[in-house]
Amino acid sequence: MADAPAPSKADPAPPRAALVSVRPGAIVLARHGEPALSRKCYLTSDQYRDWWAKYAVGGLRAGQTPPPELLATAEGAGAIYASTRPRAQETAAAIAAGREVMSDALFIEAPLPPPHFPAWFKLPPQYWGAVARFWWHAFNHHEGQETRAEAEARSEAAARALIARAESGQDVLVLAHGYFNHMVGRRLRADGWDLVHNQGFKYWSQRRYEKR
Protein backbone atom coordinates (compact mmCIF):
# COMPACT_ATOMS: atom_id res chain seq x y z
CA MET A 1 0.00 0.00 0.00
CA ALA A 2 1.42 3.32 -1.08
CA ASP A 3 2.37 5.73 1.59
CA ALA A 4 -0.09 8.53 1.98
CA PRO A 5 1.34 11.88 0.86
CA ALA A 6 2.69 13.94 3.68
CA PRO A 7 0.33 16.72 4.58
CA SER A 8 1.52 19.95 3.07
CA LYS A 9 2.37 22.79 5.34
CA ALA A 10 0.09 25.70 5.04
CA ASP A 11 1.67 28.74 3.51
CA PRO A 12 2.59 31.21 6.22
CA ALA A 13 0.17 34.08 6.52
CA PRO A 14 1.53 37.27 5.00
CA PRO A 15 2.79 39.68 7.63
CA ARG A 16 0.28 42.27 8.71
CA ALA A 17 0.93 45.63 7.16
CA ALA A 18 2.80 47.80 9.61
CA LEU A 19 0.91 50.81 10.78
CA VAL A 20 2.73 53.91 9.63
CA SER A 21 2.78 56.67 12.22
CA VAL A 22 3.05 60.16 10.79
CA ARG A 23 4.70 62.62 13.13
CA PRO A 24 2.71 65.86 13.26
CA GLY A 25 4.27 68.86 11.63
CA ALA A 26 5.15 71.99 13.56
CA ILE A 27 2.76 74.90 14.06
CA VAL A 28 4.37 78.33 13.73
CA LEU A 29 2.52 81.44 14.88
CA ALA A 30 4.07 84.59 13.39
CA ARG A 31 3.22 88.24 13.95
CA HIS A 32 2.71 90.64 11.06
CA GLY A 33 5.25 93.28 10.03
CA GLU A 34 5.35 96.83 11.36
CA PRO A 35 2.14 98.76 10.58
CA ALA A 36 2.22 102.10 8.76
CA LEU A 37 0.18 103.97 11.35
CA SER A 38 2.49 105.88 13.68
CA ARG A 39 2.50 105.21 17.42
CA LYS A 40 4.47 108.39 18.15
CA CYS A 41 1.59 110.39 19.60
CA TYR A 42 -0.36 110.98 22.80
CA LEU A 43 -4.09 110.31 22.73
CA THR A 44 -7.16 110.52 24.93
CA SER A 45 -9.17 107.32 25.34
CA ASP A 46 -11.66 108.51 22.70
CA GLN A 47 -8.85 109.41 20.31
CA TYR A 48 -7.29 106.01 20.88
CA ARG A 49 -10.60 104.37 19.91
CA ASP A 50 -10.42 106.20 16.57
CA TRP A 51 -6.72 105.36 16.23
CA TRP A 52 -7.40 101.64 16.74
CA ALA A 53 -10.17 101.69 14.12
CA LYS A 54 -7.65 103.06 11.59
CA TYR A 55 -5.02 100.56 12.75
CA ALA A 56 -7.42 97.66 12.18
CA VAL A 57 -7.84 98.50 8.49
CA GLY A 58 -4.29 99.77 7.84
CA GLY A 59 -1.42 98.06 6.11
CA LEU A 60 2.34 97.85 6.63
CA ARG A 61 4.92 100.59 6.70
CA ALA A 62 6.65 100.74 3.31
CA GLY A 63 10.21 99.55 2.77
CA GLN A 64 10.33 96.59 5.16
CA THR A 65 12.23 93.39 4.43
CA PRO A 66 11.01 90.14 6.01
CA PRO A 67 13.66 88.39 8.11
CA PRO A 68 15.40 85.44 6.39
CA GLU A 69 14.32 83.03 9.15
CA LEU A 70 10.65 83.77 8.55
CA LEU A 71 11.12 83.41 4.79
CA ALA A 72 12.71 80.00 5.41
CA THR A 73 9.79 78.98 7.62
CA ALA A 74 7.33 79.96 4.89
CA GLU A 75 9.32 78.04 2.27
CA GLY A 76 9.21 74.88 4.38
CA ALA A 77 5.55 75.14 5.40
CA GLY A 78 3.00 72.82 3.86
CA ALA A 79 0.19 75.26 4.61
CA ILE A 80 0.13 79.02 5.19
CA TYR A 81 -2.76 80.82 6.87
CA ALA A 82 -3.29 84.54 7.34
CA SER A 83 -5.69 86.77 9.20
CA THR A 84 -7.94 88.80 6.93
CA ARG A 85 -6.65 92.12 8.35
CA PRO A 86 -4.64 94.15 5.79
CA ARG A 87 -1.44 94.14 7.86
CA ALA A 88 -1.52 90.32 7.97
CA GLN A 89 -2.42 90.06 4.28
CA GLU A 90 0.49 92.29 3.28
CA THR A 91 2.80 90.27 5.52
CA ALA A 92 1.67 87.09 3.79
CA ALA A 93 2.26 88.63 0.36
CA ALA A 94 5.78 89.62 1.40
CA ILE A 95 6.85 86.15 2.50
CA ALA A 96 4.74 83.61 0.59
CA ALA A 97 6.53 84.09 -2.76
CA GLY A 98 3.32 83.59 -4.73
CA ARG A 99 2.24 80.43 -2.91
CA GLU A 100 -1.35 79.89 -1.83
CA VAL A 101 -2.28 81.65 1.41
CA MET A 102 -5.52 80.66 3.12
CA SER A 103 -7.14 83.82 4.51
CA ASP A 104 -9.38 83.27 7.52
CA ALA A 105 -11.09 85.72 9.87
CA LEU A 106 -10.69 83.05 12.57
CA PHE A 107 -7.20 84.50 13.15
CA ILE A 108 -7.99 88.24 13.46
CA GLU A 109 -6.89 90.10 16.58
CA ALA A 110 -9.06 90.17 19.71
CA PRO A 111 -10.66 93.63 20.14
CA LEU A 112 -9.16 96.50 22.13
CA PRO A 113 -11.88 98.98 23.17
CA PRO A 114 -10.40 101.31 25.80
CA PRO A 115 -12.23 102.30 28.98
CA HIS A 116 -13.49 105.90 29.13
CA PHE A 117 -10.98 108.16 30.83
CA PRO A 118 -11.14 111.97 31.30
CA ALA A 119 -10.07 114.02 28.28
CA TRP A 120 -7.04 115.43 30.12
CA PHE A 121 -5.58 111.91 30.49
CA LYS A 122 -3.42 110.99 27.50
CA LEU A 123 -1.18 108.03 26.68
CA PRO A 124 0.75 106.74 23.64
CA PRO A 125 -1.13 104.06 21.65
CA GLN A 126 0.99 101.17 22.96
CA TYR A 127 0.11 102.09 26.54
CA TRP A 128 -3.56 102.46 25.70
CA GLY A 129 -3.33 98.99 24.17
CA ALA A 130 -2.08 97.59 27.47
CA VAL A 131 -4.80 99.41 29.44
CA ALA A 132 -7.54 98.29 27.05
CA ARG A 133 -6.32 94.70 27.07
CA PHE A 134 -6.30 94.66 30.88
CA TRP A 135 -9.86 96.05 31.04
CA TRP A 136 -11.01 93.51 28.43
CA HIS A 137 -9.29 90.61 30.17
CA ALA A 138 -10.00 91.48 33.79
CA PHE A 139 -13.39 93.20 33.55
CA ASN A 140 -14.76 91.86 30.24
CA HIS A 141 -14.91 95.42 28.89
CA HIS A 142 -15.90 94.87 25.25
CA GLU A 143 -18.43 97.59 24.29
CA GLY A 144 -20.52 95.15 22.27
CA GLN A 145 -17.52 93.66 20.49
CA GLU A 146 -16.12 90.18 21.01
CA THR A 147 -16.05 89.19 24.67
CA ARG A 148 -13.15 87.46 26.36
CA ALA A 149 -15.13 84.19 26.49
CA GLU A 150 -15.94 84.46 22.79
CA ALA A 151 -12.30 85.13 21.91
CA GLU A 152 -11.19 82.16 24.01
CA ALA A 153 -13.67 79.93 22.17
CA ARG A 154 -12.34 81.27 18.86
CA SER A 155 -8.74 80.60 19.89
CA GLU A 156 -9.69 77.03 20.78
CA ALA A 157 -11.32 76.58 17.37
CA ALA A 158 -8.23 78.02 15.70
CA ALA A 159 -5.93 75.66 17.62
CA ARG A 160 -8.09 72.65 16.64
CA ALA A 161 -7.98 73.64 12.97
CA LEU A 162 -4.19 74.04 13.02
CA ILE A 163 -3.65 70.75 14.85
CA ALA A 164 -5.83 68.92 12.33
CA ARG A 165 -3.71 70.28 9.48
CA ALA A 166 -0.40 69.59 11.23
CA GLU A 167 -1.41 65.99 11.96
CA SER A 168 -0.94 65.21 8.27
CA GLY A 169 2.77 65.78 8.80
CA GLN A 170 2.87 69.28 7.28
CA ASP A 171 4.38 72.29 8.99
CA VAL A 172 1.75 75.01 9.32
CA LEU A 173 2.49 78.76 9.37
CA VAL A 174 0.02 81.36 10.61
CA LEU A 175 0.54 85.07 9.92
CA ALA A 176 -1.61 86.97 12.38
CA HIS A 177 -1.52 89.15 15.50
CA GLY A 178 0.33 89.38 18.78
CA TYR A 179 -2.31 88.81 21.44
CA PHE A 180 -4.50 86.36 19.55
CA ASN A 181 -1.42 84.34 18.63
CA HIS A 182 -0.70 84.24 22.36
CA MET A 183 -4.19 82.90 23.01
CA VAL A 184 -3.84 80.22 20.34
CA GLY A 185 -0.41 79.27 21.65
CA ARG A 186 -1.83 78.82 25.13
CA ARG A 187 -4.42 76.39 23.73
CA LEU A 188 -1.71 74.49 21.84
CA ARG A 189 0.32 74.06 25.02
CA ALA A 190 -2.75 72.83 26.87
CA ASP A 191 -3.17 70.23 24.12
CA GLY A 192 0.37 68.91 24.48
CA TRP A 193 2.36 71.10 22.10
CA ASP A 194 5.69 72.49 23.32
CA LEU A 195 6.98 75.97 22.51
CA VAL A 196 10.39 75.02 21.09
CA HIS A 197 11.41 78.32 19.47
CA ASN A 198 10.32 81.69 20.80
CA GLN A 199 11.08 85.08 19.26
CA GLY A 200 8.57 86.88 21.46
CA PHE A 201 5.91 89.18 20.05
CA LYS A 202 7.85 91.79 18.09
CA TYR A 203 6.95 92.47 14.46
CA TRP A 204 7.88 89.63 12.06
CA SER A 205 8.56 87.33 15.04
CA GLN A 206 7.62 83.66 15.17
CA ARG A 207 6.84 81.09 17.85
CA ARG A 208 7.21 77.43 16.91
CA TYR A 209 5.22 74.63 18.57
CA GLU A 210 5.87 70.92 18.25
CA LYS A 211 3.88 67.94 19.54
CA ARG A 212 5.42 66.24 22.57
Side-chain angles (χ1 to χ4, degrees):
M1 183 175 178
D3 294 335
S8 61
K9 294 182 178 180
D11 293 334
R16 295 178 64 183
L19 295 177
V20 178
S21 177
V22 177
R23 179 173 177 79
I27 297 173
V28 180
L29 306 178
R31 192 182 181 196
H32 55 75
E34 182 181 351
L37 190 61
S38 174
R39 294 180 178 229
K40 296 178 180 179
C41 55
Y42 279 79
L43 307 170
T44 67
S45 60
D46 288 341
Q47 289 171 335
Y48 174 74
R49 188 174 287 102
D50 294 338
W51 184 94
W52 177 258
K54 294 175 183 177
Y55 179 83
V57 298
L60 298 184
R61 180 180 59 78
Q64 297 180 69
T65 301
E69 188 173 354
L70 186 55
L71 291 171
T73 297
E75 185 177 356
I80 302 175
Y81 291 88
S83 156
T84 53
R85 296 300 191 204
R87 58 193 186 276
Q89 291 289 303
E90 292 182 17
T91 300
I95 72 161
R99 295 178 52 199
E100 178 187 10
V101 175
M102 291 168 281
S103 300
D104 197 329
L106 186 64
F107 300 106
I108 65 173
E109 184 62 290
L112 272 179
H116 291 278
F117 276 44
W120 57 263
F121 188 83
K122 295 185 177 183
L123 291 172
Q126 60 268 34
Y127 288 95
W128 273 124
V131 170
R133 183 64 68 209
F134 175 78
W135 248 254
W136 178 83
H137 196 277
F139 307 121
N140 197 31
H141 176 80
H142 56 82
E143 295 187 353
Q145 301 181 54
E146 186 178 43
T147 67
R148 175 185 169 188
E150 290 168 342
E152 287 176 344
R154 180 163 63 90
S155 69
E156 186 172 355
R160 286 199 306 267
L162 297 175
I163 289 171
R165 191 64 183 252
E167 283 178 342
S168 69
Q170 294 181 323
D171 285 355
V172 181
L173 172 62
V174 180
L175 302 164
H177 310 274
Y179 194 79
F180 193 70
N181 279 358
H182 163 71
M183 297 181 72
V184 174
R186 189 169 57 190
R187 291 303 319 164
L188 292 175
R189 297 186 75 170
D191 289 336
W193 291 71
D194 286 331
L195 178 59
V196 299
H197 182 58
N198 182 6
Q199 293 184 336
F201 296 100
K202 62 183 181 294
Y203 300 126
W204 302 105
S205 63
Q206 55 181 309
R207 294 159 67 88
R208 180 182 180 93
Y209 297 81
E210 294 180 358
K211 183 67 174 177
R212 293 181 196 139

